[in-house]
């Protein structure tokens, strides 16, 4: 098997958890950059630029001590970083992902090249602090680029307020550079609450589900994020694989040679259904 093609396929697979960062998101369709040039966007609060693609870690780092699988993941991360991207997103709820990622980055001596994002969701102030400290230990680092309160859309306002106070404290101490929230379950039911937070809390980032299979955030949330200067991270760009399953075994009858990526092909096949 061709090693380069193998790594490209693995990068596509590993990257399906996280597709876009550092918006305002509507600008994604307005770039005049050459097709082979990595798109970059500025974080609204600071102007720091990030690539619009990043790497998710759920499931794909459940590899134990398998040396061959570790080597493949190292090649994928190296491809990502050498290509100019830097965002890697993880969470304590992703099983062994944090510990595996921390080990891989240490082996690669690549921690300083990564925009590292993780999350917490343990209840209470003490629970949040303990969970984040454990994440830092597993990731083998003392600082994060981004700390997110995970799946905040359905928690009580009191707990949300308590947890946002925690992340602000950590940001003030320099433990994380940016703060934000995420939601990935029943996205459409959580949007109103998330919009409320965007308007009342000064968040640096929000991570939400967004793909051609899940578009509820287009109705209002994305516009509010842009208005409030909040960077958007798009999660589940292929809808947990549903988009691939929808076109499995199908062929695009025309213009296939003009498509620039696997994603282009999936989109065309879906439109032809």
């Amino acid at each position: 098997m061709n090693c380069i093609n193998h790594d490209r396929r693995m990068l596509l697979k590993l990257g399906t958890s996280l597709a876009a960062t550092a918006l305002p998101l509507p600008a994604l369709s307005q770039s005049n950059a050459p097709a082979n040039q990595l798109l970059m966007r500025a974080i609204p609060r600071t102007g720091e630029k990030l690539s619009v693609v990043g790497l998710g870690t759920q499931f794909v780092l459940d590899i134990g001590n398998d040396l061959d699988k570790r080597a493949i993941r190292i090649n994928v991360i190296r491809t990502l970083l050498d290509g100019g991207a830097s965002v890697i997103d993880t969470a304590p709820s992703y099983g062994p992902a944090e510990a595996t990622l921390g080990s891989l980055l240490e082996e690669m001596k690549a921690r300083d090249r990564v925009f590292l994002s993780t999350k917490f969701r343990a209840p209470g102030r003490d629970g949040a602090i303990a969970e984040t400290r454990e994440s830092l230990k597993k990731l083998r680092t003392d600082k994060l680029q981004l700390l997110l309160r995970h799946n905040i859309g359905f928690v009580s306002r009191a707990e949300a307020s308590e947890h946002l106070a925690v992340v602000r404290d950590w940001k003030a101490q320099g433990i994380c550079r940016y703060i934000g929230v995420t939601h990935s379950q029943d996205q459409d039911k959580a949007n109103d609450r998330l919009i409320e937070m965007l308007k009342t809390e000064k968040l640096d980032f929000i991570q939400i589900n967004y793909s051609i299979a899940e578009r509820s955030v287009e109705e209002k949330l994305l516009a509010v994020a842009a208005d409030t200067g909040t960077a958007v991270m798009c999660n589940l760009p292929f809808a947990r694989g549903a988009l691939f399953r929808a076109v499995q075994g199908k062929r695009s009858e025309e213009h296939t040679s003009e498509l620039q990526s696997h994603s282009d092909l999936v989109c065309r096949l879906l439109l032809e259904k």
Side-chain angles (χ1 to χ4, degrees):
M1 179 180 294
N2 182 285
C3 183
I4 295 177
N5 288 338
H6 180 69
D7 287 344
R8 286 172 61 86
R9 283 192 292 273
M10 282 301 302
L11 184 58
L12 177 63
K13 178 182 178 182
L14 294 178
T16 56
S17 297
L18 181 68
T21 61
L23 300 172
L25 189 140
L28 284 175
S29 62
Q30 299 171 2
S31 174
N32 294 319
N36 63 347
Q37 181 177 323
L38 185 65
L39 295 177
M40 307 292 286
R41 291 291 178 268
I43 299 173
R45 299 263 182 243
T46 64
E48 178 182 0
K49 290 190 176 182
L50 293 177
S51 60
V52 300
V53 292
L55 184 63
T57 58
Q58 190 172 24
F59 304 126
V60 294
L61 293 185
D62 298 358
I63 58 175
N65 295 317
D66 188 307
L67 296 181
D68 290 338
K69 290 181 179 179
R70 283 179 64 88
I72 291 171
R73 272 65 178 176
I74 285 174
N75 283 337
V76 168
I77 294 172
R78 184 174 292 116
T79 299
L80 179 87
L81 299 177
D82 289 348
S86 62
V87 178
I88 302 182
D89 180 72
T90 189
S93 56
Y94 297 172
E98 286 185 322
T100 302
L101 178 59
S103 173
L104 295 176
L105 293 180
E106 183 175 74
E107 181 177 339
M108 297 172 65
K109 296 180 171 56
R111 173 63 187 91
D112 61 348
R113 299 179 63 192
V114 173
F115 185 99
L116 185 58
S117 166
T118 195
K119 313 174 185 75
F120 70 93
R121 63 178 183 180
R125 178 181 176 84
D126 291 344
I129 291 172
E131 186 172 37
T132 302
R133 284 177 174 165
E134 184 65 19
S135 290
L136 291 170
K137 181 179 177 181
K138 290 179 178 179
L139 290 165
R140 307 188 187 193
T141 188
D142 58 356
K143 293 184 179 181
L144 300 164
Q145 277 64 47
L146 175 59
L147 181 59
L148 300 156
R149 202 300 180 181
H150 200 21
N151 282 326
I152 201 169
F154 300 143
V155 306
S156 70
R157 283 174 172 78
E159 183 168 305
S161 179
E162 185 175 46
H163 280 172
L164 290 174
V166 170
V167 294
R168 289 192 177 98
D169 286 347
W170 285 58
K171 182 178 180 180
Q173 296 173 41
I175 295 171
C176 57
R177 191 185 308 164
Y178 300 102
I179 62 172
V181 299
T182 83
H183 198 85
S184 62
Q185 301 168 350
D186 294 322
Q187 185 70 58
D188 59 330
K189 296 178 181 178
N191 286 340
D192 287 345
R193 179 72 185 288
L194 296 173
I195 288 169
E196 175 188 317
M197 291 183 187
L198 288 172
K199 290 179 176 180
T200 59
E201 308 286 349
K202 192 175 181 180
L203 302 173
D204 300 316
F205 278 81
I206 185 168
Q207 184 184 118
I208 41 81
N209 294 355
Y210 186 37
S211 71
I212 58 176
E214 193 170 4
R215 301 174 60 181
S216 66
V217 295
E218 290 180 356
E219 294 176 11
K220 189 175 181 182
L221 189 149
L222 293 180
V224 174
D227 290 343
T228 57
T230 308
V232 176
M233 299 177 76
C234 297
N235 191 37
L236 304 178
F238 300 114
R240 300 186 191 276
L243 298 185
F244 291 116
R245 291 190 293 274
V247 299
Q248 188 173 9
K250 300 180 182 296
R251 288 181 57 86
S252 179
E253 298 301 327
E254 58 182 17
H255 307 307
T256 303
S257 63
E258 299 175 8
L259 302 178
Q260 297 178 356
S261 71
H262 197 133
S263 301
D264 291 342
L265 179 57
V266 170
C267 291
R268 178 175 293 280
L269 287 170
L270 285 166
L271 290 172
E272 291 177 353
K273 284 191 67 179

